[in-house]
Amino acid sequence: MAKPSTFFVCTSCGAQARQFFGKCASCGSWNTLVEQKAAPAADSRRRRPVAEAAAAEAVVAGQPRRSEPIQAVGERALQRLSSGYGEFDRVLGGGLVPGSLVLVGGDPGIGKSTLLLQSARAMAGRASVLYVSAEESAQQVKLRWRRLAEASPAQPEAGESKAGADFQLLAETDLELVLQELEALRPAVAIIDSIQALHDAELGSAPGSVSQVRECAAALARIAKRQDTALLLVGHVTKEGALAGPKVLEHLVEAVLTFEGDRFASHRLLRAVKNRFGATHELGVFEMRDRGLAEVTNPSELFLGGDEPSAGTATIVACEGTRPLVVEMQALVSTTSYASPRRSATGIAVNRLHQILAVLEKHLGLPLSRFDCYLAVAGGLEVEEPAADLGVAAAVVASYRDLTLPPGTVLVGELGLGGQLRPVGQLELRLQEAARLGFTRAVVPKGTGLAKAAAGFGLQLLEAGGVAEALVAALGVNPADDRG
């Protein structure tokens, strides 16, 4: 009997190799090649040549066989299904689209299963839901269901018995049995927890391998499209924080959501990385409590410091998708004790901090290269957009000069290498959020044309063309002057 042939597959990118290497030749990842058995030989029958098939069916040249003009395609109203939580719906773009696939990833223990189980409870009163647990037993899921039922008020227009009748639970890892259950029930929503735990018996590889994840996701996608079932897939992450499995999994689904959070903080951030039916980089905020997740309808309160202003703090308005967030930036500048000063940033890219410090030293003459600089974003939020540059610069200068910004001041603007301020997007939305939280002064780049709108919000708009002018307007003193 011939020995079955094997090959090696990269778990990161899906590339194949005939022998083991420590480093993948395609993506450069180390120790990601796993051995798999070769599949049986495919059927030797070949497709007929296109010309031969056309002749056999007497197809007229220039005439379509199955396609149709786009004007003739019928339209149907898109009825989204609410998840039961406004923050979840915001990230999805307004709710779940029938026939769509949504991939939810996050670190172990962050609350992915809790979020989806709570949403399943809320949706079960209005639509049929199938929850496939491939990692936990039915008894374990029932325990969490009971715990969430005791505290969750989000059971819309239905009692507990009605929700339980519309909620079907299947503890199974065999893909074929899951597909049979989907065919029999035809639920409006199906949740797979998780896609890496499903196993296709026709494949020889282990669950969670590249081929297993790819084929299981493709089979689930086909049945979801065919019967208009909204499918929520839970995905694992690697130790680097990226979604585990082949990249084709992210291309296959309509939306990719990441569930993030600091294990030392109670809030959790649901972020849209990809969304074909809504805005990308949209943000939903939840708080983890003893009996489940609760929505945070005013997340700006999480990322603001105390009421008493202090030296080295500045307030910005960041935008995550279409949501403005008022965030406090904290900086500490102190004399260094080392040959090379230390630079540390939490919540913002450290290279961005280096660039802002270089601009301040060049155009304001501040000797920051002889000082340690520490920067942190309050609340543990990750701020990636350049609109936070002016707030970072103000916090650093305020700490260096031991100054306190006047209460009620927000700063929004991108800092160029020449010291100029560049305009940012969604400025009116940012100003509206700042005014709603009681801020009275806003330092922004010149040429916004929003003076009248800001006055209507009750904001004093201070426009500046460069970083020096902006800091003078914000601090009330010229930061380039000596202390004495």
Side-chain angles (χ1 to χ4, degrees):
M1 183 176 180
K3 181 180 179 181
S5 60
T6 61
F7 61 97
F8 295 85
V9 178
C10 176
T11 58
S12 179
C13 68
Q16 296 184 6
R18 283 297 176 185
Q19 63 184 33
F20 178 80
F21 298 99
K23 181 179 180 181
C24 175
S26 297
C27 65
S29 301
W30 287 91
N31 299 323
T32 56
L33 292 178
V34 295
E35 186 177 11
Q36 292 188 10
K37 293 181 180 180
D43 193 349
S44 59
R45 291 177 297 177
R46 298 179 179 271
R47 294 195 182 115
R48 289 183 298 172
V50 175
E52 179 184 336
E57 298 182 16
V59 177
V60 180
Q63 294 295 322
R65 300 180 63 187
R66 293 181 177 84
S67 63
E68 59 181 335
I70 191 170
Q71 295 86 353
V73 177
E75 296 183 7
R76 63 176 181 176
L78 186 64
Q79 186 66 34
R80 291 179 181 260
L81 177 63
S82 173
S83 67
Y85 290 87
E87 293 296 300
F88 201 175
D89 289 342
R90 167 191 285 271
V91 178
L92 291 170
L96 288 167
V97 177
S100 65
L101 277 76
V102 179
L103 178 63
V104 182
D107 292 332
I110 202 67
K112 303 183 296 297
S113 300
T114 301
L115 172 66
L116 295 181
L117 189 58
Q118 288 184 220
S119 296
R121 289 192 66 255
M123 291 185 290
R126 304 183 303 273
S128 57
V129 179
L130 172 63
Y131 190 100
V132 179
S133 175
E135 297 182 348
E136 297 177 283
S137 66
Q139 289 75 19
Q140 290 174 318
V141 178
K142 182 65 179 292
L143 287 175
R144 284 196 292 122
W145 166 277
R146 286 294 186 192
R147 176 172 56 86
L148 297 174
E150 293 175 1
S152 176
Q155 193 57 54
E157 306 171 1
E160 183 69 24
S161 60
K162 174 64 176 174
D166 290 336
F167 185 100
Q168 297 291 327
L169 175 62
L170 174 65
E172 185 57 63
T173 60
D174 191 337
L175 175 66
E176 186 62 31
L177 297 179
V178 173
L179 295 177
Q180 291 176 6
E181 194 72 13
L182 286 171
E183 286 278 8
L185 289 177
R186 293 185 174 269
V189 180
I191 299 171
I192 310 296
D193 187 7
S194 65
I195 185 63
Q196 278 84 5
L198 286 185
H199 177 255
D200 187 354
E202 295 184 359
L203 300 177
S205 54
S209 62
V210 172
S211 58
Q212 285 282 358
V213 173
R214 181 178 61 242
E215 295 303 323
C216 290
L220 291 169
R222 286 192 294 269
I223 193 172
K225 303 291 184 188
R226 187 168 64 247
Q227 58 191 35
D228 283 341
T229 296
L231 198 60
L232 291 162
L233 306 176
V234 176
H236 296 171
V237 296
T238 63
K239 58 184 178 182
E240 291 83 12
L243 285 167
K247 199 68 176 178
V248 69
L249 178 61
E250 298 180 43
H251 293 290
L252 181 67
V253 300
E254 276 73 31
V256 179
L257 312 182
T258 60
F259 206 37
E260 309 166 357
D262 189 348
R263 62 192 182 97
F264 299 108
S266 61
H267 63 270
R268 302 287 187 268
L269 305 179
L270 184 65
R271 196 185 304 270
V273 178
K274 169 190 173 182
N275 194 350
R276 291 175 181 165
F277 304 111
T280 56
H281 301 289
E282 195 63 81
L283 186 72
V285 185
F286 296 85
E287 183 180 3
M288 179 63 78
R289 298 178 180 173
D290 57 345
R291 295 189 182 276
L293 290 162
E295 296 180 280
V296 178
T297 56
N298 187 17
S300 293
E301 296 177 351
L302 286 174
F303 309 117
L304 284 175
D307 296 332
E308 292 296 327
S310 59
T313 62
T315 305
I316 66 167
V317 186
C319 263
E320 294 286 344
T322 60
R323 159 168 277 173
L325 296 173
V326 179
V327 182
E328 183 180 271
M329 313 292 293
Q330 303 170 350
L332 175 63
V333 179
S334 60
T335 305
T336 184
S337 302
Y338 307 97
S340 299
R342 296 193 62 187
R343 303 282 188 261
S344 176
T346 303
I348 194 170
V350 68
N351 288 335
R352 196 76 185 173
L353 174 61
H354 291 162
Q355 180 177 312
I356 295 172
L357 294 177
V359 171
L360 293 176
E361 184 159 4
K362 173 70 175 179
H363 297 283
L364 297 183
L366 303 179
L368 297 175
S369 59
R370 301 199 299 266
F371 290 81
D372 294 335
C373 184
Y374 304 90
L375 183 73
V377 180
L381 182 70
E382 294 283 341
V383 179
E384 298 177 355
E385 62 168 352
D389 290 354
L390 184 56
V392 173
V396 169
V397 172
S399 177
Y400 175 75
R401 292 298 192 199
D402 200 17
L403 298 173
T404 302
L405 271 78
T409 303
V410 295
L411 303 100
V412 180
E414 179 182 356
L415 192 58
L417 293 180
Q420 71 276 18
L421 286 185
R422 299 183 181 276
V424 299
Q426 301 177 306
L427 184 56
E428 185 174 357
L429 188 65
R430 301 171 196 260
L431 297 178
Q432 187 175 0
E433 176 69 9
R436 187 183 69 84
L437 293 176
F439 289 87
T440 56
R441 301 168 71 237
V443 183
V444 298
K446 275 185 178 179
T448 60
L450 294 175
K452 185 178 294 186
F457 298 150
L459 276 174
Q460 179 188 0
L461 202 64
L462 305 175
E463 296 186 326
V467 60
E469 184 182 354
L471 293 178
V472 169
L475 296 170
V477 297
N478 189 351
D481 293 341
D482 294 333
R483 286 181 183 269

